[in-house]
Amino acid sequence: MIIDELRAIAIERSANLGNDNFVLRGLWRLNLLFRPNAQERLFEYTVVVAQTLHQGCCYTEEDPVLDRNLLGQDARLIRSSYSSIEIATLDAVYSVFPKRPSRSFVLDGTALEKSKHRARIVVDEVALQLASTSSLKGKTIVNIGVVGNIIRELKVRGATVYATDRDPGLVGTTISDVRVESCDTNGQRIAECDLALVTGMALSTETLDEIMRQCAVRNKKLVIFAETGANFAEEYCRLGVDAVISEPFPFYIFSGVSRIDVYRAEG
């Protein structure tokens, strides 16, 4: 599984760095309800945030219990019965490593303003990956892990859009005239699309490996927009993802300044 590869790479990359960089200094659990505008879905998740020198994050369907005994341990070696704690902690390990994004954006303002800016950044990258201009007319995109503002931006630019999600309360509803389907249709929709646009939370739901396999087998473009595992972006690109829009904590959902980095596979 890709999470095992990420752990092994972290040990290798950190070998010549000081151990103090990787001490787990903080763990947070946030219960999230968020809807920036009427076009967006209601996001309802638990979020785990871990800190070494910087933060790592995992959105999760779990109900994790934070363990005070983890603080002070080497984050590279931490194991938990909750995958969300393991992912957030490993993401915090990766936060220490130097970054070389292809592009970087600083977002400032309200969450509403930033949600629209973020959607444009994501869809601009989709267009670039499809060797397209700003228009996406004639292109078919599947959004796995629905974000309404991104779907709306894809539709505005002329794309045919499919949408799948794991939230049973969302499946069967319509967002920007796109009917949300169950993630059981992921394979079918990947086969029919030009590009799969996938949330980083696919890592914590243990669906990312299969999505990556389906895209590789069918020679489809794969773009991830990641708050969960944002610091894994460069490694994702080395492991077969075409591009990652990385949004490290604190996210656009908070007013004020946040950052988005874009990473692309070489060649």
Side-chain angles (χ1 to χ4, degrees):
M1 294 180 67
I2 191 168
I3 189 66
D4 297 320
E5 294 186 67
L6 291 169
R7 286 193 190 102
I9 292 166
I11 295 297
E12 181 180 349
R13 289 188 64 181
S14 64
N16 296 320
L17 299 175
N19 290 337
D20 191 56
N21 292 324
F22 302 103
V23 173
L24 184 65
R25 294 175 168 85
L27 276 175
W28 292 261
R29 171 185 163 147
L30 311 176
N31 294 324
L32 168 69
L33 286 171
F34 180 68
R35 191 181 188 193
N37 55 27
Q39 290 74 42
E40 191 53 86
R41 65 181 288 183
L42 171 64
F43 294 102
E44 183 175 3
Y45 293 112
T46 296
V47 186
V48 176
V49 180
Q51 184 188 84
T52 52
L53 295 182
H54 309 288
Q55 287 73 233
C57 170
C58 181
Y59 281 67
T60 182
E61 298 173 345
E62 295 180 325
D63 186 21
V65 177
L66 303 186
D67 181 358
R68 64 187 299 158
N69 294 317
L70 295 178
L71 295 189
Q73 292 190 25
D74 188 329
R76 295 168 293 185
L77 306 178
I78 284 176
R79 296 293 182 270
S80 170
S81 58
Y82 299 103
S83 63
S84 54
I85 290 176
E86 289 196 1
I87 291 169
T89 301
L90 186 60
D91 194 35
V93 169
Y94 272 83
S95 76
V96 177
F97 301 145
K99 307 292 191 299
R100 295 175 296 277
S102 299
R103 296 195 69 185
S104 292
F105 303 85
V106 175
L107 279 58
D108 197 1
T110 66
L112 172 60
E113 293 166 337
K114 292 196 293 181
S115 68
K116 296 175 181 178
H117 190 182
R118 175 181 183 258
R120 290 192 294 270
I121 291 169
V122 171
V123 177
D124 282 346
E125 187 61 28
V126 168
L128 186 148
Q129 290 297 322
L130 293 175
S132 179
T133 61
S134 180
S135 171
L136 288 168
K137 188 175 181 179
K139 303 297 184 181
T140 301
I141 316 297
V142 56
N143 173 204
I144 300 176
V146 167
V147 178
N149 286 307
I150 292 175
I151 289 176
R152 183 174 183 274
E153 185 69 19
L154 289 167
K155 293 277 289 182
V156 164
R157 300 201 198 183
T160 298
V161 182
Y162 297 120
T164 73
D165 204 273
R166 290 171 58 88
D167 182 351
L170 193 63
V171 172
T173 65
T174 299
I175 293 182
S176 293
D177 297 322
V178 175
R179 184 177 179 273
V180 180
E181 301 174 308
S182 164
C183 278
D184 293 341
T185 65
N186 283 350
Q188 174 190 345
R189 292 313 188 191
I190 288 171
E192 296 168 343
C193 77
D194 297 298
L195 180 147
L197 180 60
V198 181
T199 175
M201 192 178 169
L203 180 64
S204 66
T205 59
E206 299 184 353
T207 54
L208 182 57
D209 287 87
E210 179 60 16
I211 290 167
M212 291 178 66
R213 189 189 72 80
Q214 289 279 347
C215 288
V217 166
R218 300 178 185 280
N219 195 29
K220 303 294 184 177
K221 289 280 189 177
L222 173 57
V223 174
I224 296 175
F225 55 98
E227 294 180 336
T228 297
N231 295 302
F232 301 150
E234 283 182 287
E235 297 305 331
Y236 281 154
C237 290
R238 294 188 184 103
L239 294 169
V241 178
D242 293 288
V244 180
I245 297 95
S246 165
E247 187 178 352
F249 189 88
F251 307 134
Y252 82 98
I253 63 176
F254 303 104
S255 61
V257 177
S258 56
R259 191 181 85 248
I260 292 179
D261 296 323
V262 178
Y263 297 84
R264 298 176 184 134
E266 295 181 1

